[in-house]
């Protein structure tokens, strides 16, 4: 019973279930035909005969366990000191060995290849996807945990969690939530403990990169854009944060909600860039049917950036016109036009305005955007960088296919809508087509659904490129197919500038840790600090990013020559 405690998004987990399967099943709940088809797919795959024996694979070791009943255990597994394992499938192989350790109690669940569960774990009605870990007393109940994830100590109930989730703290709590990957729960975070309706039927939906900070308390129902980070605080009511890469703060002193767009790029570029790299680096999956997106600039986040640009234009224009034209009403178009003028020219008056937005919080108190000018221009630069990055990625070695690639851009690029299907980004139109094919009986089983994921993964690079071109035209008015050579050259140089700025930001945000006197005070000398922390100059990730910048410069130079 994932995503909602009332059981109305319940799924039937099966061996081999992918996070995309679980997600699709929890959506479209008003489509009775689709829901029945998913049930049929599952029942057809596994027979209902009783009297099966539990099986244990070759080279599997079982020591000092109290109760093992109705289990299917693969090869090369290591199980030691478990209290109880009942009605559980434990997948394991020579290439991906699974371990279950002391004090574990596992009932009614499926454990994927290469997983680990040890030291007092309690899991009931659960799905642990491949290469994930439960440890140190974690409780996982009525939940699906995606690949390459770790949960320690804390309690997770009725949640669907996409791959690459981290939750390490005994006093953090997660309930009735959909977390769409690359998430990190801090100590004391209580996500979804309070129901604002008359029954336990609330939900929380968080896009990729969700990071609730220390002692954050969130209420049902709330929704968050990609890469939202929440500052410490008890958020009193429901939230709907639509601007990506934002820091959200509850300003109790002034009784308002404060949102800082583009926070990561302004103040913590190191963490953002390193997280994108580490998730890909730590992807241990053997079965890569679903193509997981780890880059922070992708169709989901870029679409939110485009909406945020328009929202900031209107909010800025509205604030300015209200301060200068008392009691006169203006249309949304007039507000956007005025706000765009102020932001494009970086008019200093924007810093003096109280820029407010509506619909972010279920309350009557103000919701204020800060550092809007800086965020606005960062978002525009990110669209440029995203477009050039896709041009480079899709143009092949030595750019032999460049002319053909540019020629593939439609006369009128269209910005498409995307869905995050278990960590894989797929166009909404393709999902609608899949649903129709399930209805028509053309897709008859989960194997064909998985074939759909693979097909979409093959199409993704080209579709992502077309999406980037559409975003570029919307934000900068540049149609690459019709652009003059000097326009393209300028675009390339702007992208190089953004990359350079990013690498500098990665270094500077990490360097703050070496300059902060409150961090340095625990060391008697700089030599001791460098011994404990490692020298800043020796930081492997910073070195890697600087090398990446050098390569990027060469790539841009080669691309510029090709376009001459």
């Amino acid at each position: 019973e994932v995503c909602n405690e009332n059981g109305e998004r319940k799924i039937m987990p099966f061996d081999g279930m992918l996070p995309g399967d679980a997600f699709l099943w929890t959506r479209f709940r008003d489509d009775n035909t689709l829901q029945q088809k998913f049930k049929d797919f599952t029942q057809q795959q596994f027979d209902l005969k009783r009297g099966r024996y539990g099986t244990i694979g070759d080279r599997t070791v079982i020591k000092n366990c109290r109760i093992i009943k109705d289990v299917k255990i693969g090869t090369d597994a290591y199980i030691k000191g478990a209290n109880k394992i009942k009605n559980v499938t434990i997948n394991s192989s020579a290439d991906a060995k699974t371990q279950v350790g002391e004090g574990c109690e596992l009932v009614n669940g499926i454990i994927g290849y290469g997983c680990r569960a040890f030291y007092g774990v309690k899991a009931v009605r659960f799905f642990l996807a491949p290469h994930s870990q439960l440890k140190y007393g974690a409780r996982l109940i009525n939940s699906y945990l995606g690949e390459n994830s770790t949960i320690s100590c804390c309690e997770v109930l009725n949640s669907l969690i996409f791959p690459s989730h981290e939750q390490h703290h005994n006093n953090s709590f997660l309930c009735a939530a959909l977390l769409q990957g690359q998430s990190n729960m801090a100590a004391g975070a209580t996500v979804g403990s309070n129901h604002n309706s008359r029954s336990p039927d609330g939900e929380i939906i968080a896009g990729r990169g969700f990071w609730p900070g220390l002692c954050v308390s969130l209420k049902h129902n709330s929704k968050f854009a990609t890469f939202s980070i929440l500052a410490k605080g008890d958020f009193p009511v429901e939230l709907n944060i639509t601007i990506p890469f934002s820091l959200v703060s509850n300003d109790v002193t002034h009784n308002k909600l404060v949102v800082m767009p583009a926070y990561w790029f302004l103040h913590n570029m190191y963490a953002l860039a390193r997280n994108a790299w580490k998730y890909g680096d730590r992807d241990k999956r053997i079965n890569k049917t679903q193509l997981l997106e780890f880059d922070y600039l992708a169709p989901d986040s870029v679409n939110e950036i485009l909406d945020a640009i328009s929202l900031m234009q209107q909010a800025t224009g509205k604030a300015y016109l209200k301060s200068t034209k008392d009691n006169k009403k203006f249309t949304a178009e007039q507000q956007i036009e005025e706000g765009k003028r102020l932001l494009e020219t970086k008019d200093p008056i924007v810093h003096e305005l109280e820029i407010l937005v509506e619909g972010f919080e279920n309350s009557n108190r103000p919701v204020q955007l800060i550092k809007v000018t800086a965020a606005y221009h960062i978002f525009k630069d990110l669209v440029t960088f995203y477009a050039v990055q896709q041009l480079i990625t899709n143009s092949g070695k030595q750019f032999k296919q460049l002319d053909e690639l540019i020629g593939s851009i439609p006369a009128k690029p269209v910005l498409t809508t995307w869905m995050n299907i278990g960590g894989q980004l797929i166009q909404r139109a393709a999902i609608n087509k899949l649903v129709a094919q399930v209805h028509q009986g053309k897709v008859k089983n989960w194997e064909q659904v998985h074939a759909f994921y693979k097909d979409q993964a093959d199409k993704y690079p080209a579709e992502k490129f077309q999406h980037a071109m559409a975003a570029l035209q919307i934000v900068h008015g540049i149609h690459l197919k019709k652009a003059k050579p000097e326009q393209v050259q300028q675009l390339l140089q702007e992208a190089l500038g953004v990359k350079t700025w990013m690498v500098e930001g990665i270094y500077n945000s990490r360097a703050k840790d070496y300059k902060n006197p409150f961090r340095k005070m625990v060391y008697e000398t700089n030599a001791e600090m460098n011994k404990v922390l490692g020298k800043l100059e020796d930081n492997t990730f910073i070195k890697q990013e600087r090398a990446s910048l050098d390569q990027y410069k060469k790539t841009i130079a080669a691309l510029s020559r090709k376009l001459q």
Side-chain angles (χ1 to χ4, degrees):
E1 297 174 1
V2 294
C3 298
N4 196 308
E5 287 181 90
N6 72 358
E8 291 307 314
R9 291 197 188 275
K10 62 187 175 186
I11 60 176
M12 294 165 57
F14 57 88
D15 194 11
M17 185 181 224
L18 297 175
D21 305 336
F23 173 76
L24 287 174
W25 205 333
T26 64
R27 304 300 106 179
F28 309 104
R29 299 309 285 197
D30 55 340
D31 189 337
N32 294 328
T33 302
L34 182 70
Q35 295 297 317
Q36 186 58 49
K37 289 281 189 180
F38 285 157
K39 292 178 185 177
D40 293 343
F41 289 176
T42 308
Q43 297 289 23
Q44 291 162 14
Q45 193 166 332
F46 304 92
D47 67 53
L48 298 175
K49 293 179 182 178
R50 301 182 64 82
R52 297 292 192 190
Y53 288 96
T55 58
I56 299 171
D58 296 339
R59 299 176 300 281
T60 284
V61 175
I62 301 177
K63 293 182 180 178
N64 303 328
C65 296
R66 294 184 62 197
I67 300 171
I68 295 182
K69 182 178 180 182
D70 297 334
V71 294
K72 177 186 174 184
I73 306 175
T75 68
D76 302 279
Y78 186 82
I79 302 172
K80 178 184 177 184
N83 289 342
K84 183 176 184 178
I85 305 177
K86 180 182 178 182
N87 190 28
V88 176
T89 297
I90 301 177
N91 289 294
S92 181
S93 69
D95 296 326
K97 300 175 183 179
T98 293
Q99 298 180 23
V100 177
E102 290 85 349
C104 290
E105 296 173 10
L106 312 173
V107 179
N108 299 340
I110 297 170
I111 298 177
Y113 291 93
C115 287
R116 294 186 175 187
F118 50 89
Y119 302 139
V121 164
K122 317 293 182 190
V124 182
R125 293 169 63 93
F126 68 98
F127 193 110
L128 191 60
H131 302 285
S132 289
Q133 299 185 69
L134 297 177
K135 54 188 181 180
Y136 307 130
R139 281 89 75 205
L140 183 70
I141 301 168
N142 254 324
S143 296
Y144 184 110
L145 180 64
E147 294 98 329
N148 305 311
S149 298
T150 300
I151 294 181
S152 300
C153 312
C154 47
E155 186 170 10
V156 177
L157 308 171
N158 301 91
S159 293
L160 172 54
I161 304 171
F162 289 0
S164 303
H165 172 75
E166 300 286 332
Q167 189 170 349
H168 297 287
H169 309 285
N170 190 50
N171 52 351
S172 59
F173 178 82
L174 178 64
C175 182
L178 168 64
L179 302 189
Q180 296 186 302
Q182 296 165 263
S183 41
N184 196 319
M185 291 270 291
T190 304
V191 175
S193 66
N194 295 285
H195 296 281
N196 284 11
S197 67
R198 262 54 64 186
S199 61
D201 57 2
E203 300 181 26
I204 284 175
I205 299 177
R208 291 189 301 131
F210 180 58
W211 197 322
L214 293 170
C215 301
V216 159
S217 177
L218 295 176
K219 313 297 186 287
H220 292 112
N221 291 339
S222 290
K223 193 173 180 180
F224 299 91
T226 53
F227 298 94
S228 295
I229 181 169
L230 286 82
K232 178 179 179 179
D234 181 4
F235 292 85
V237 294
E238 303 93 326
L239 298 172
N240 182 20
I241 307 302
T242 62
I243 300 178
F245 304 104
S246 290
L247 171 65
V248 184
S249 306
N250 181 25
D251 187 345
V252 178
T253 304
H254 302 99
N255 191 29
K256 62 183 177 182
L257 188 73
V258 179
V259 179
M260 184 195 301
Y263 159 80
W264 292 101
F265 302 96
L266 287 165
H267 298 292
N268 205 351
M269 191 69 220
Y270 179 88
L272 181 66
R274 186 177 178 277
N275 282 354
W277 163 78
K278 82 175 183 183
Y279 290 130
D281 186 62
R282 297 177 184 177
D283 185 5
K284 299 176 182 177
R285 295 175 301 150
I286 295 172
N287 174 12
K288 295 191 176 183
T289 297
Q290 289 205 258
L291 176 66
L292 301 181
E293 176 62 89
F294 297 120
D295 197 332
Y296 51 83
L297 289 180
D300 57 346
S301 58
V302 170
N303 278 354
E304 291 172 345
I305 283 173
L306 299 183
D307 292 339
I309 287 173
S310 296
L311 187 148
M312 288 190 288
Q313 288 173 343
Q314 183 174 1
T316 303
K318 184 177 181 180
Y320 175 73
L321 292 170
K322 183 179 179 181
S323 67
T324 57
K325 313 282 186 181
D326 291 339
N327 299 322
K328 188 175 179 181
K329 291 187 177 180
F330 294 89
T331 65
E333 289 75 15
Q334 289 172 320
Q335 292 170 348
I336 290 172
E337 183 180 352
E338 191 64 26
K340 183 177 181 181
R341 180 187 67 80
L342 293 169
L343 291 170
E344 290 288 346
T345 58
K346 298 183 180 180
D347 194 316
I349 199 171
V350 175
H351 302 302
E352 302 172 14
L353 299 174
E354 185 182 36
I355 300 174
L356 305 178
V357 289
E358 298 176 353
F360 277 44
E361 186 181 69
N362 185 20
S363 73
N364 294 321
R365 67 175 185 166
V367 178
Q368 182 182 4
L369 299 185
I370 61 174
K371 300 191 178 182
V372 174
T373 301
Y376 177 81
H377 288 278
I378 286 172
F379 280 169
K380 290 188 66 179
D381 287 343
L382 291 176
V383 173
T384 299
F385 183 72
Y386 173 61
V388 172
Q389 192 64 29
Q390 293 312 304
L391 183 68
I392 292 170
T393 302
N394 286 273
S395 55
K397 292 182 180 179
Q398 304 302 317
F399 311 108
K400 290 178 181 177
Q401 305 165 8
L402 185 58
D403 294 338
E404 182 182 338
L405 181 66
I406 293 176
S408 71
I409 302 172
K412 294 183 179 179
V414 177
L415 193 73
T416 47
T417 304
W418 294 69
M419 293 180 71
N420 185 340
I421 309 296
Q424 178 177 1
L425 301 184
I426 300 176
Q427 290 187 7
R428 180 61 193 247
I431 296 298
N432 292 342
K433 185 177 179 180
L434 173 68
V435 171
Q437 289 177 331
V438 172
H439 274 257
Q440 296 159 7
K442 294 179 179 178
V443 173
K444 301 177 181 179
N445 51 49
W446 286 115
E447 187 178 344
Q448 288 180 303
V449 174
H450 294 178
F452 166 78
Y453 297 149
K454 286 185 176 180
D455 182 55
Q456 291 303 309
D458 293 339
K459 293 178 179 178
Y460 183 61
E463 291 176 345
K464 190 176 180 182
F465 170 74
Q466 300 294 353
H467 178 268
M469 295 303 104
L472 180 68
Q473 186 173 29
I474 289 171
V475 174
H476 297 288
I478 299 173
H479 191 321
L480 208 60
K481 194 172 185 178
K482 303 174 183 177
K484 297 177 181 178
E486 54 269 25
Q487 281 183 298
V488 181
Q489 295 287 4
Q490 183 181 350
L491 193 70
L492 296 177
Q493 293 308 311
E494 287 175 358
L496 178 57
V498 174
K499 177 70 172 178
T500 304
W501 167 76
M502 284 180 171
V503 174
E504 289 175 354
I506 290 168
Y507 176 84
N508 291 335
S509 59
R510 183 63 175 132
K512 286 187 290 187
D513 295 334
Y514 287 79
K515 297 174 182 176
N516 185 335
F518 286 89
R519 284 182 62 89
K520 293 175 70 174
M521 67 186 179
V522 298
Y523 310 106
E524 292 190 8
T525 63
N526 282 337
E528 182 189 358
M529 179 179 70
N530 288 333
K531 191 69 176 177
V532 175
L533 300 181
K535 291 182 179 179
L536 179 61
E537 292 73 20
D538 294 337
N539 184 290
T540 305
F541 181 68
I542 291 175
K543 283 184 174 181
Q544 177 183 303
E545 288 302 298
R546 284 177 167 171
S548 171
L549 175 59
D550 291 338
Q551 181 58 48
Y552 195 81
K553 290 176 180 177
K554 294 175 183 177
T555 302
I556 291 293
L559 191 55
S560 296
R561 289 193 296 271
K562 178 72 175 177
L563 290 167
Q564 286 176 355

